[in-house]
């Protein structure tokens, strides 16, 4: 069970980093300023999560 | 030469702003990992770690200090569990006052102040509770952590969608995956909560603990409050302690541990070890759903106008006036009940007597519990 939980944990981290990369790509490439700002607010907790701070 | 469009430049600026905000907020989150100071008193003869009883906890966020107080004369053994839910500070502080003041002349006492050590390292998002609160002692202020009910998600994640308790198979809310008091008796290859629970069971088995007391607090709108919950084998001891408390003018009820509600100390420690398992509850509005703004005063004074209103509407299970339920009263209830339980253990089983000294009375704690905290200056940090 411990191995399965570790697998889930790693899978979760990969998903967080994947979403973070897409969000950063969107912030750079999107033309709409409102969407850029909204996506920027979303990446703050994602960065904290990816760094294992929260 | 690299030329960037206006959109890309704005995007990079926004990402830099996000990184600055992350840098500003990070120290506040990381500071939660700094533990409060503990000053073991004259009765402490040894300090161990929970991993000394179950190696699987070594170098994990689940490992925690176990303090041992021992008398010259042989007698019974008791285990005090504080901080199983770190957002219930009266539990942690009750064990702290025993740790810093108690002397033992007969028997042995094991104290774990931060049973769920990981839970002291975070707050539940959205609860808007203080990260720490001060206690004014005679030698200056000491601060203590106000943590969260469960294990920090950075130490145990993801939660199961539906938490299935081992070994009963009972299904519970997914967030109970990280609730230590739904994880007993635990297992060596389980979640972090299950491994901590297993470590505690190992301690009880290896040290032949006679009486285990788990300190909690409950919201005033929760029916199981101001109560001793005991495993059926511990009912004689709990009933004797309740009688002692009632004769002293302290209102407390008694409840037998439900047989079909699994994972809790009072059920599983009684079923899977030989200990007499008991849990205590006292009122704590800082975790209540009716409370208003949560400040340090909410934790220490236990006062809230919405709870006074709730009491007038008959929605609470304890009386609630403008005086509230101060931390000192919660501590006094826990510590006095503990003395009564230990006395009852010796009355029921004379060979398991434990003699504790230097513990303040109920009135002394209610009037001025601050006197019994070790002052920060003159102490040696552990």
């Amino acid at each position: 069970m411990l191995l399965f939980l570790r697998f889930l944990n790693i899978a979760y981290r990969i998903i967080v980093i994947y979403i973070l990369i897409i969000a950063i790509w969107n912030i750079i490439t999107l033309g709409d300023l409102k969407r850029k700002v909204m996506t920027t607010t979303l990446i703050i907790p994602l960065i904290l999560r990816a760094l294992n701070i929260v | 030469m690299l030329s960037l469009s206006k959109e890309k430049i704005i995007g990079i600026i926004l990402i830099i702003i996000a990184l600055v905000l992350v840098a500003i907020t990070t120290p506040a989150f990381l500071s939660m990992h700094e533990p409060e100071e503990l000053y073991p008193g004259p009765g402490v003869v040894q300090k161990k770690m929970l991993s000394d009883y179950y190696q699987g906890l070594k170098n994990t966020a689940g490992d925690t200090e176990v303090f041992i107080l021992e008398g010259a004369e042989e007698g019974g053994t008791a285990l005090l569990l504080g901080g199983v839910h770190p957002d219930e500070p009266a539990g942690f502080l009750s064990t702290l006052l025993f740790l810093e003041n108690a002397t033992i002349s007969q028997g042995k006492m094991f104290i774990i102040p931060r049973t769920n050590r990981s839970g002291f390292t975070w707050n539940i998002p959205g609860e808007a509770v203080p990260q720490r609160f001060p206690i004014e002692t005679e030698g200056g202020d000491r601060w203590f952590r106000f943590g969260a009910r469960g294990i920090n998600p950075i130490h145990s994640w993801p939660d199961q969608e539906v938490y299935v308790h081992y070994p009963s198979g009972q299904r519970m809310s997914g967030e109970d995956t990280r609730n230590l008091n739904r994880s007993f008796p635990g297992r060596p290859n389980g979640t972090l909560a299950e491994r901590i629970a297993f470590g505690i069971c190992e301690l009880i088995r290896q040290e032949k603990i006679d009486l285990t007391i788990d300190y909690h607090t409950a919201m005033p709108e929760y029916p199981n409050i101001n109560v001793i919950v005991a495993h059926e084998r511990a009912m004689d001891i709990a009933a004797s302690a309740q009688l002692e408390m009632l004769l002293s003018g302290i209102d407390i009820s008694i409840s037998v541990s439900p047989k079909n509600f699994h994972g809790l100390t009072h059920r599983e420690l009684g079923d899977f070890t030989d200990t007499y398992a008991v849990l205590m509850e006292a009122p704590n509005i800082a975790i209540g759903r009716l409370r208003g703004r949560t400040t340090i005063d909410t934790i220490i004074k236990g006062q809230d106008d919405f709870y006074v209103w709730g009491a007038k509407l008959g929605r609470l299970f304890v009386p609630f006036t403008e005086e509230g339920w101060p931390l000192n009263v919660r501590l006094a209830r826990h510590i006095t009940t503990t003395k009564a339980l230990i006395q009852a253990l010796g009355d029921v089983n004379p060979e398991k007597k434990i003699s504790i000294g230097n513990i303040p009375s109920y009135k002394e704690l209610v009037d001025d519990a601050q006197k019994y905290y070790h002052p920060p200056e003159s102490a040696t940090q552990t």
Side-chain angles (χ1 to χ4, degrees):
Chain A
M1 188 192 173
L2 201 54
L3 273 177
F4 178 63
L5 289 172
R6 280 186 186 152
F7 164 75
L8 282 183
N9 192 284
I10 290 165
Y12 173 79
R13 281 165 201 278
I14 290 168
I15 291 166
V16 167
I17 291 165
Y18 174 70
I19 294 171
L20 193 56
I21 289 167
I22 290 176
I24 290 169
W25 179 254
N26 279 348
I27 292 166
I28 292 170
T29 57
L30 279 174
D32 184 352
L33 183 64
K34 273 187 196 168
R35 287 188 180 186
K36 275 177 183 288
V37 173
M38 281 181 68
T39 315
T40 305
T41 59
L42 287 177
I43 68 166
I44 294 169
L46 282 174
I47 295 170
L48 288 167
R49 195 75 184 94
L51 295 174
N52 222 18
I53 291 165
V54 297
Chain B
M1 188 182 154
L2 182 68
S3 65
L4 293 172
S5 64
K6 190 180 160 194
E7 281 79 23
K8 284 181 182 166
I9 292 169
I10 292 171
I12 290 166
I13 291 169
L14 286 171
I15 289 166
I16 291 169
I17 291 170
L19 291 173
V20 169
L21 290 172
V22 167
I24 291 169
T25 51
T26 295
F29 290 116
L30 293 182
S31 73
M32 289 290 285
H33 293 262
E34 179 195 350
E36 55 273 272
E37 292 172 4
L38 306 176
Y39 303 117
V44 176
V45 296
Q46 197 180 358
K47 179 187 156 189
K48 286 188 166 184
M49 297 299 288
L50 195 55
S51 58
D52 292 330
Y53 297 95
Y54 167 50
Q55 281 288 315
L57 288 171
K58 205 165 184 68
N59 299 322
T60 72
D63 204 3
T64 189
E65 307 103 325
V66 180
F67 296 94
I68 304 169
L69 293 78
E70 189 167 14
E73 206 177 330
E74 282 209 358
T77 51
L79 168 64
L80 310 185
L81 297 174
V84 169
H85 289 154
D87 56 353
E88 301 169 11
F92 163 73
L93 292 174
S94 297
T95 55
L96 181 104
L97 288 185
F98 274 101
L99 176 72
E100 299 190 351
N101 293 282
T103 54
I104 306 270
S105 55
Q106 182 180 2
K108 208 170 177 181
M109 184 182 273
F110 292 75
I111 301 176
I112 308 182
R114 289 183 279 240
T115 309
N116 173 8
R117 206 188 73 187
S118 167
F120 283 87
T121 64
W122 73 300
N123 289 136
I124 296 174
E127 286 291 311
V129 291
Q131 289 185 329
R132 54 170 80 185
F133 59 94
I135 299 275
E136 194 181 321
T137 74
E138 288 180 341
D141 278 4
R142 283 177 69 177
W143 64 267
F144 298 102
R145 186 69 64 205
F146 190 93
R149 183 177 175 84
I151 281 168
N152 191 332
I154 69 167
H155 299 138
S156 176
W157 190 261
D159 292 343
Q160 298 159 29
E161 281 296 310
V162 175
Y163 169 53
V164 182
H165 172 259
Y166 173 84
S168 71
Q170 185 168 42
R171 292 177 177 200
M172 301 184 202
S173 156
E175 68 177 6
D176 280 331
T177 307
R178 286 178 290 110
N179 184 348
L180 182 55
N181 205 27
R182 298 294 181 277
S183 302
F184 289 93
R187 50 181 158 174
N189 63 344
T191 62
L192 183 59
E194 287 175 324
R195 282 179 281 154
I196 298 168
F198 182 76
I200 291 162
C201 287
E202 279 300 294
L203 185 157
I204 291 169
R205 285 189 276 260
Q206 290 172 31
E207 299 287 357
K208 298 183 174 51
I209 301 287
D210 298 311
L211 172 66
T212 302
I213 301 172
D214 179 16
Y215 298 101
H216 286 263
T217 52
M219 53 188 90
E221 61 271 33
Y222 183 65
N224 219 22
I225 194 162
N226 277 349
V227 65
I228 306 170
V229 187
H231 189 265
E232 55 271 16
R233 284 194 295 102
M235 280 306 279
D236 285 353
I237 291 167
S240 177
Q242 182 205 19
L243 189 61
E244 176 68 29
M245 296 287 283
L246 294 175
L247 289 171
S248 307
I250 304 163
D251 190 24
I252 194 161
S253 57
I254 186 170
S255 170
V256 66
S257 171
K259 283 192 175 177
N260 54 359
F261 188 12
H262 289 282
L264 295 101
T265 48
H266 52 73
R267 165 54 39 208
E268 310 298 350
L269 296 182
D271 282 353
F272 286 87
T273 73
D274 293 330
T275 196
Y276 295 120
V278 174
L279 178 148
M280 281 183 232
E281 298 276 12
N284 175 14
I285 60 165
I287 55 171
R289 297 299 93 192
L290 304 183
R291 72 183 195 273
R293 185 174 168 231
T294 312
T295 63
I296 286 168
D297 273 355
T298 313
I299 298 167
I300 294 175
K301 294 182 179 169
Q303 297 165 347
D304 189 293
D305 291 341
F306 289 104
Y307 271 102
V308 177
W309 186 25
K312 284 176 185 161
L313 294 172
R315 299 294 180 189
L316 308 184
F317 290 89
V318 284
F320 206 102
T321 65
E322 280 76 9
E323 286 180 14
W325 283 91
L327 182 59
N328 284 0
V329 174
R330 285 174 263 155
L331 276 175
R333 292 184 67 86
H334 277 348
I335 289 171
T336 310
T337 312
T338 303
K339 287 198 286 186
L341 284 164
I342 286 173
Q343 175 68 41
L345 174 72
D347 292 344
V348 174
N349 306 281
E351 75 282 3
K352 292 179 178 172
K353 189 178 175 191
I354 304 171
S355 299
I356 314 174
N358 208 29
I359 295 297
S361 68
Y362 182 87
K363 189 175 182 314
E364 286 170 324
L365 286 165
V366 170
D367 290 346
D368 196 6
Q370 282 77 356
K371 265 170 51 182
Y372 304 98
Y373 290 89
H374 198 292
E377 284 89 352
S378 58
T380 309
Q381 189 177 346
T382 62

